Amino acid sequence: MVLAGLDLATPIAGVMTPDPPCSTELATAQEALSLMAQRGYHQVMVTRDGRLVGVVSERDLFALQRVTMRNIVQSIRLARDVATLRRARGDIDALTDNLVAQGAAAER
């Protein structure tokens, strides 16, 4: 991280957010978004057993909402060209990645 006018030797504690918002890995996307809104942040630290395991952002969560099976099917139905179908294929890939990341089994 580089902050204008700040010496790079400045300790992280001098520029970090004290008591950043945290959520457990078992929290829902809605709970994470609510926490971000309440605290006025765009990211939330994700923890497991009190240890940091990741960071989730508003952008990550809104991307999950955008890519739904309903949206993909609608895009395919309304497609007027190959480029639109290619974008739908990319959305299918993204949806599949999201489902796997959330622990969805292949059988479902």
Side-chain angles (χ1 to χ4, degrees):
M1 169 185 295
V2 178
L3 299 173
L6 194 65
D7 185 348
L8 292 177
T10 302
I12 295 294
V15 296
M16 68 181 223
T17 301
D19 190 29
C22 294
S23 185
T24 71
E25 67 180 344
L26 300 177
T28 66
Q30 180 61 43
E31 291 168 331
L33 284 170
S34 178
L35 180 59
M36 286 181 222
Q38 289 169 8
R39 300 284 299 270
Y41 292 104
H42 300 286
Q43 301 92 15
V44 169
M45 309 274 223
V46 180
T47 61
R48 177 189 308 133
D49 299 325
R51 297 187 66 147
L52 180 67
V53 293
V55 177
V56 66
S57 71
E58 285 178 334
R59 185 176 180 178
D60 297 331
L61 298 175
F62 285 125
L64 288 175
Q65 282 187 315
R66 185 188 67 77
V67 182
T68 65
M69 186 55 75
R70 181 178 179 198
N71 291 356
I72 293 169
V73 169
Q74 185 72 4
S75 294
I76 292 170
R77 282 191 183 133
L78 297 175
R80 299 285 183 244
D81 55 33
V82 174
T84 302
L85 291 173
R86 282 190 183 118
R87 281 193 299 277
R89 188 197 78 201
D91 287 345
I92 291 168
D93 291 344
L95 178 61
T96 303
D97 290 344
N98 290 337
L99 290 171
V100 169
Q102 293 175 39
E107 294 80 22
R108 294 186 188 165

